[in-house]
Amino acid sequence: MTDASNARFNTEALSWDTNPDVQRATALAHAAYLARLPSDPAVLSTYDVLDLGCGTGLLSLALAPAVRSVTAVDPAEGMIDALRAKLASPPPPPPEGGKGLPVANVSPVCALLQDPDDPRLAVDPVTRSPRPGRRFDLAVSHLVLHHVPDLRSFFRTVHGCLAPGGRLMVTDFENFGPEARKFHPESKMDGVERHGLRRDEMQALLEEAGFADVSVETAFALEKKVETEPGSGVMGPSMVFPFLICQGKKTG
């Protein structure tokens, strides 16, 4: 991500979770991932997950109960601080009553990840001890790719972070034409590198990075309000934005 992106997300970190669009998009992405992951809890519970661009940890914390561990990475210190605060606070009680269990399998990491052997990734969230050369069973990233300047480098790095047989699953809104620009108000264009993902480009990028069994498909649709006029700041009509899920597998 760029400095402009980091500055924006540091500023917005404290109010990030209050945005209903963020909450709904994360819930839809979480459901899309679970629908494509092993349905056997005994299998999924062995997964070590890497969440890239984790923000305040909404997706990381949603995935955590089903998997062995989540390493949650974001370059914006404000976002990671918000996640650390959540992990340090008593969790809300479950709907059926009783006390919520503390989240003990999520590790927040403030980093712009560029090296699969970054020592900050080596710390196991469960044992809290370093495992040099640690690799992951699943890498996820939600609503991040439209902020990444160099997707080729990003996917090469992610490929290197995965264990043999590991999977990549990323979600972001689709570039379906000029109207896709309306996903962001004009005041939030700092750090936006592209107005959504193009299907053919994502297919080619993942294959070029070494992923096999690549698929790019519609995962869900998000309805959100857009500006009445670009730059007006007045949110009026709603638009439906399709989201893509892009998947690939590391074979060796």
Side-chain angles (χ1 to χ4, degrees), residues 167-217:
R167 296 175 64 183
L168 166 74
M169 302 175 75
V170 295
T171 43
D172 212 327
F173 70 103
E174 182 176 7
N175 184 341
F176 54 89
E179 293 285 286
R181 180 185 177 92
K182 294 182 179 180
F183 188 86
H184 295 93
E186 291 297 315
S187 63
K188 294 189 176 182
M189 289 296 179
D190 282 350
V192 174
E193 297 291 330
R194 58 190 60 79
H195 301 297
L197 308 180
R198 295 187 181 276
R199 291 173 184 257
D200 54 349
E201 180 184 20
M202 294 304 297
Q203 181 86 25
L205 284 169
L206 292 185
E207 291 174 351
E208 182 183 326
F211 288 98
D213 300 332
V214 174
S215 67
V216 179
E217 60 182 329

Side-chain angles (χ1 to χ4, degrees), residues 7-90:
R8 174 190 158 196
F9 291 125
N10 279 324
T11 300
E12 295 183 1
L14 291 178
S15 62
W16 190 254
D17 290 1
T18 65
N19 185 329
D21 293 332
V22 169
Q23 293 282 355
R24 286 188 294 112
T26 304
L28 289 166
H30 178 231
Y33 294 151
L34 289 183
R36 292 163 174 82
L37 288 169
S39 57
D40 184 348
V43 175
L44 191 55
S45 66
T46 67
Y47 275 40
D48 290 314
V49 178
L50 178 64
D51 183 1
L52 292 167
C54 66
T56 64
L58 290 173
L59 179 59
S60 295
L61 294 173
L63 288 169
V67 301
R68 179 183 179 275
S69 74
V70 182
T71 297
V73 180
D74 200 285
E77 187 72 45
M79 291 290 187
I80 290 296
D81 283 346
L83 174 54
R84 289 184 180 125
K86 291 179 184 179
L87 294 172
S89 300

Side-chain angles (χ1 to χ4, degrees), residues 121-155:
L121 298 185
V123 178
D124 187 316
V126 176
T127 65
R128 305 295 169 177
S129 59
R131 286 196 288 136
R134 182 169 174 256
R135 295 296 183 257
F136 298 86
D137 304 295
L138 173 67
V140 298
S141 191
H142 172 58
L143 270 175
V144 173
L145 299 187
H146 67 273
H147 292 291
V148 177
D150 185 353
L151 288 177
R152 281 186 174 83
S153 177
F154 176 85
F155 286 127

